[in-house]
Amino acid sequence: MAGISFKRIGWLVRRLSRISPAEIPYRIASVLRASAQARGWWDARCPPLRAADACFGYPWVHVPADHLVDSQFLVAVAEKTLTAGPVVFGVNVPLDDGAPAWNRDPKTGTIVDQTFGLSIDFRHLADGVDIKYLWELNRHVWWVPLAQTFAATGEQRFLQALSTLLDNWLVECPYARGANWSSPVEHGIRLINWSIVWHLIGGADSPMFASAAGQELRERWITSVYQHMRFASDNYSLHSSADNHLIGEAAGVFVAAHTWDLWAETRVLRVRAKTILEAEMGKQFAADGVNLEQAVCYHKFSLEFVLASMVTGEANGDGFSLAFMTRFQSAVEFLAAMMDCNGRAPAIGDSDDGKVFAFAVGGDFSAYDSMLVAGAAMSGSPAISEKLRLLGKDQTVDSLWLKIIRANPSEKSADAETALPTKFVDGGYLLMGRALHCRTEFRLTMDVGPLGSNKIAGHGHADALSVLLSVAGQDFLVDPGTFCYNAAPDLRHYFRGTSAHNTVVIDGMDQSIYGGSFLWLRDVNSTLHSYVDDGSNVVVEASHDGYMRLADPVKHTRAVVLHRDALEVWIEDRFDCLKPHLCEVRWHFAPECQIEGEGSTWTATREVGRLSLTLDSEGFDSRVIAGADNPPAGWYSSCFYERQASPVLISSGPISSGSVVRTRITFAPKFKDSFHG
């Protein structure tokens, strides 16, 4: 325990160093409030009397027409869940007597004590417990397909399974006790999934509640709903913690307060939640639509909270402002622009494969596809619709279960932009290439944004000026991903650090100072100096200040020139400093690449063609590493908790004032005719 205490103290000291004076009263009040709640003061154990006009809100989900639902597919999904149990990050969780062990870590089998939830240090649990497994199980995303299956088939066994799961969860996870009451954003997610299940099983008049025992279960559920709303709103993540968590907490309260519109108190909470959502949409998403956490997965994750709130609001006559809707459209258009011609989004920043909610639908649909489908329907954006057409996705498939009020195309201006943007200056990303969004696209993505948001940059990676490259949907130069959060501290640091990205490392250090799994101790800002696109060539120049903190400050400037017709990229890294430094230029390749070469010339080959890199850097040595552990190097993570060896080309040598390191990249397609023009 002492080791854990020291870790906790060290983390708190570093964390406090990144807050403003205005945040200090909030932090003190949070500690005092949690202490009072732990003693039973001002808690939400007992709901207030219901309002005289208490009612249940209009559903924001519904069952599609019979001919649009694949009932056999739904039954297969539901039966697999009930037979083998849900899968949490590759681990099957058995359903003993119809329910899992809600407080037992699925991976290690360790029981997490049911102490007061807010007192649990979930970042440093003993016995190798990673709280992500437990939280993922208890978000109840996997309940939705069971509710879908009952709604589509009417088979009582699926309703009974949900009844058993709900009853057991309410018994095993009492108010404010245990790991499932330790983070309010988890309550937001659970409330949204509970709302979906509630509506799909028939709401207050569901056959689940027909018997006396069922009515008693309904009242216990409603009590827990109230407790969830209070817990989330009493413990909103504010100030430097105001990221996707705050959006998720407010979204959960907003959706739940409409679904269970029973108390005057929660109507006040609903108004506050909507106010928070309106404000945070403008704060957390830049004007060009980019989520400022600088993590594409969390961009999508935040939009799922927003989507649930928007659809709920529309269904209940409580819609959001035009400014909110416009920012949402820009955010979905950014997501569409970042997705390649195969519909894959780059692994920029943190990614834990998280989903706020997910309907079981047949076919090859990702969560990113689903967001584009819903975004196109709600906004009427022709640019998003065109991307879906290019991806070959049916715009109705995943939005069938949502009661989306579709935008009227006639309300859009006749000259509405059909091409997705390529410059996201506010958010910090540039897309360059040839035939973007087509099957033969040559796609270059450059990061010219900040480290992250709210000083701590909790989900940001130290990747300023990093470059990604793919051709025809096949990755060549990649972002290695995330792999884990708390399970392996050294690997967590590596995947977040500068050495795991296609940029420059100075003196073996990150661009910022690493403070912990979700904490950077110094801001990093990038500056876009110029961007010129004459149709044939794109010329970009940008710099960052991450290494200006060194005793001898180093300014790193990167110039990128794309020659579209030749499929060539020239990259020039320049350095301003007074003294010599050690420099490493790193190029991370996709695991599928076959790497050959020596000295200054290297090639990476895939089915679609060959990428050649020629390095011009006096006094530099180059080598390829894959799967090294000490220190970590040459790893790639395509999904959370999975990694594989992947080649990284490291060119290292000395730099001094005025030094220039040049990299020339040329692509030779295997079938030249398909890339012609």
Side-chain angles (χ1 to χ4, degrees):
M1 292 296 294
I4 296 175
S5 298
F6 283 128
K7 286 182 180 179
R8 177 66 169 168
I9 292 170
W11 179 85
L12 284 171
V13 170
R14 295 190 298 273
R15 182 66 177 81
L16 289 170
S17 73
R18 297 298 283 165
I19 70 173
S20 66
E23 186 172 345
I24 294 174
Y26 160 73
R27 293 295 172 184
I28 294 173
S30 297
V31 172
L32 294 176
R33 182 179 63 249
S35 178
Q37 287 177 326
R39 291 166 173 77
W41 302 345
W42 305 315
D43 68 12
R45 200 171 310 277
C46 298
L49 293 176
R50 296 185 184 180
D53 59 345
C55 62
F56 297 102
Y58 292 102
W60 56 285
V61 296
H62 61 174
V63 184
D66 290 345
H67 71 280
L68 297 174
V69 177
D70 186 346
S71 297
Q72 289 185 333
F73 169 78
L74 289 175
V75 169
V77 171
E79 286 184 337
K80 184 176 180 181
T81 297
L82 297 181
T83 301
V87 179
V88 177
F89 299 123
V91 176
N92 274 90
V93 184
L95 303 183
D96 298 327
D97 296 324
W102 301 109
N103 296 292
R104 184 173 65 205
D105 174 32
K107 187 174 183 182
T108 66
T110 301
I111 300 291
V112 179
D113 293 338
Q114 285 193 313
T115 56
F116 178 64
L118 291 178
S119 68
I120 295 175
D121 181 11
F122 52 76
R123 295 177 183 84
H124 307 109
L125 293 174
D127 303 319
V129 173
D130 187 337
I131 197 66
K132 285 287 294 178
Y133 285 87
L134 202 57
W135 280 349
E136 193 73 20
L137 174 69
N138 285 273
R139 289 178 172 182
H140 299 167
V141 178
W142 56 280
W143 288 17
V144 171
L146 297 175
Q148 284 180 267
T149 308
F150 167 72
T153 67
E155 292 191 33
Q156 293 296 309
R157 58 193 176 112
F158 300 112
L159 185 68
Q160 181 56 50
L162 283 167
S163 176
T164 300
L165 290 166
L166 175 62
D167 176 69
N168 190 261
W169 194 91
L170 294 174
V171 170
E172 297 298 326
C173 303
Y175 170 69
R177 313 301 295 183
N180 295 314
W181 291 84
S182 61
S183 177
V185 71
E186 300 302 312
H187 294 67
I189 297 172
R190 200 153 47 237
L191 282 171
I192 290 171
N193 284 289
W194 281 3
S195 176
I196 294 172
V197 170
W198 172 271
H199 289 308
L200 289 182
I201 65 173
D205 298 323
S206 169
M208 179 187 287
F209 312 129
S211 66
Q215 293 175 19
E216 188 265 344
L217 175 62
R218 182 182 61 189
E219 294 310 304
R220 287 164 52 213
W221 191 6
I222 290 173
T223 295
S224 189
V225 165
Y226 169 78
Q227 294 168 345
H228 273 64
M229 283 193 278
R230 276 287 309 276
F231 189 89
S233 57
D234 286 352
N235 299 287
Y236 275 137
S237 300
L238 304 176
H239 295 281
S240 62
S241 297
D243 52 17
N244 68 86
H245 282 217
L246 179 57
I247 289 179
E249 292 150 8
V253 172
F254 182 79
V255 170
H258 269 301
T259 304
W260 297 276
D261 184 16
L262 304 176
W263 305 280
E265 176 187 347
T266 57
R267 291 171 182 171
V268 175
L269 298 183
R270 183 174 70 210
V271 172
R272 185 189 180 197
K274 185 179 180 183
T275 300
I276 289 173
L277 289 168
E278 287 273 5
E280 294 305 311
M281 195 68 189
K283 291 178 182 178
Q284 296 194 36
F285 289 86
D288 55 19
V290 179
N291 184 281
L292 297 179
E293 288 196 80
Q294 304 296 308
V296 174
C297 175
Y298 280 90
H299 179 105
K300 183 271 301 175
F301 190 62
S302 292
L303 284 181
E304 289 173 343
F305 287 122
V306 170
L307 176 62
S309 302
M310 289 170 61
V311 181
T312 298
E314 291 290 341
N316 289 276
D318 192 14
F320 289 81
S321 68
L322 177 61
F324 186 98
M325 299 290 287
T326 300
R327 192 62 57 95
F328 170 78
Q329 177 176 330
S330 296
V332 181
E333 287 177 346
F334 166 74
L335 201 63
M338 294 293 280
M339 293 166 63
D340 68 14
C341 62
N342 286 333
R344 294 179 303 115
I348 296 171
D350 271 351
S351 174
D352 66 354
D353 304 334
K355 297 178 182 178
V356 175
F357 61 93
F359 295 101
V361 293
D364 181 22
F365 264 72
S366 72
Y368 293 89
D369 297 329
S370 299
M371 182 52 64
L372 263 59
V373 168
M378 296 200 71
S379 70
S381 166
I384 303 172
S385 297
E386 178 64 12
K387 182 60 179 260
L388 284 166
R389 187 189 67 78
L390 292 169
L391 293 175
K393 302 295 183 182
D394 183 346
Q395 294 188 45
T396 65
V397 172
D398 199 58
S399 59
L400 286 173
W401 295 84
L402 296 175
K403 291 187 70 172
I404 291 177
I405 299 177
R406 297 178 179 274
N408 185 352
S410 65
E411 296 175 356
K412 298 294 175 181
S413 65
D415 59 348
E417 184 62 58
T418 59
L420 291 167
T422 56
K423 286 177 62 180
F424 300 91
V425 178
D426 295 327
Y429 297 99
L430 302 175
L431 298 177
M432 298 167 273
R434 193 176 80 177
L436 288 175
H437 312 298
C438 297
R439 287 299 173 189
T440 58
E441 70 174 2
F442 183 91
R443 170 179 287 257
L444 195 71
T445 306
M446 186 175 180
D447 185 333
V448 293
L451 177 60
S453 62
N454 291 337
K455 305 291 284 185
I456 64 173
H459 289 299
H461 290 190
D463 56 359
L465 309 189
S466 179
V467 170
L468 311 179
L469 192 152
S470 69
V471 183
Q474 295 188 2
D475 288 330
F476 282 87
L477 298 177
V478 298
D479 187 308
T482 299
F483 177 57
C484 71
Y485 285 164
N486 297 311
D490 289 344
L491 286 171
R492 171 62 171 158
H493 185 177
Y494 165 72
F495 278 97
R496 290 190 82 201
T498 306
S499 66
H501 296 89
N502 299 323
T503 187
V504 168
V505 180
I506 300 295
D507 295 336
M509 292 188 287
D510 291 317
Q511 292 169 347
S512 183
I513 300 171
Y514 191 74
S517 290
F518 301 96
L519 177 64
W520 290 103
L521 300 179
R522 184 180 175 88
D523 296 334
V524 178
N525 296 294
S526 299
T527 301
L528 178 62
H529 300 291
S530 63
Y531 177 98
V532 178
D533 185 350
D534 65 7
S536 297
N537 306 298
V538 184
V539 182
V540 174
E541 184 173 296
S543 65
H544 73 84
D545 62 4
Y547 292 118
M548 296 298 288
R549 75 179 192 274
L550 302 183
D552 175 48
V554 178
K555 180 180 179 181
H556 172 212
T557 300
R558 171 166 279 186
V560 176
V561 180
L562 166 65
H563 300 283
R564 285 194 174 97
D565 292 340
L567 297 179
E568 287 188 355
V569 182
W570 298 354
I571 298 176
E572 187 174 275
D573 292 302
R574 302 192 295 267
F575 306 94
D576 292 328
C577 54
L578 296 177
K579 299 177 181 179
H581 293 269
L582 176 64
C583 170
E584 288 184 350
V585 183
R586 296 198 170 207
W587 300 110
H588 296 80
F589 294 95
E592 297 84 358
C593 289
Q594 299 298 315
I595 307 299
E596 296 178 338
E598 60 181 356
S600 61
T601 302
W602 298 80
T603 62
T605 304
R606 294 197 63 175
E607 297 88 343
V608 73
R610 173 175 293 185
L611 196 75
S612 299
L613 284 84
T614 303
L615 309 169
D616 180 5
S617 46
E618 185 176 352
F620 275 53
D621 294 320
S622 299
R623 65 194 188 281
V624 170
I625 295 176
D629 288 320
N630 191 22
W635 292 104
Y636 177 79
S637 175
S638 61
C639 56
F640 209 52
Y641 292 120
E642 292 186 12
R643 64 182 170 120
Q644 63 186 115
S646 188
V648 53
L649 172 61
I650 305 172
S651 297
S652 58
I655 59 166
S656 56
S657 179
S659 290
V660 178
V661 177
R662 297 180 177 87
T663 305
R664 180 176 177 179
I665 301 173
T666 304
F667 179 71
K670 184 174 182 181
F671 303 105
K672 293 185 179 181
D673 289 346
S674 62
F675 286 84
H676 180 68

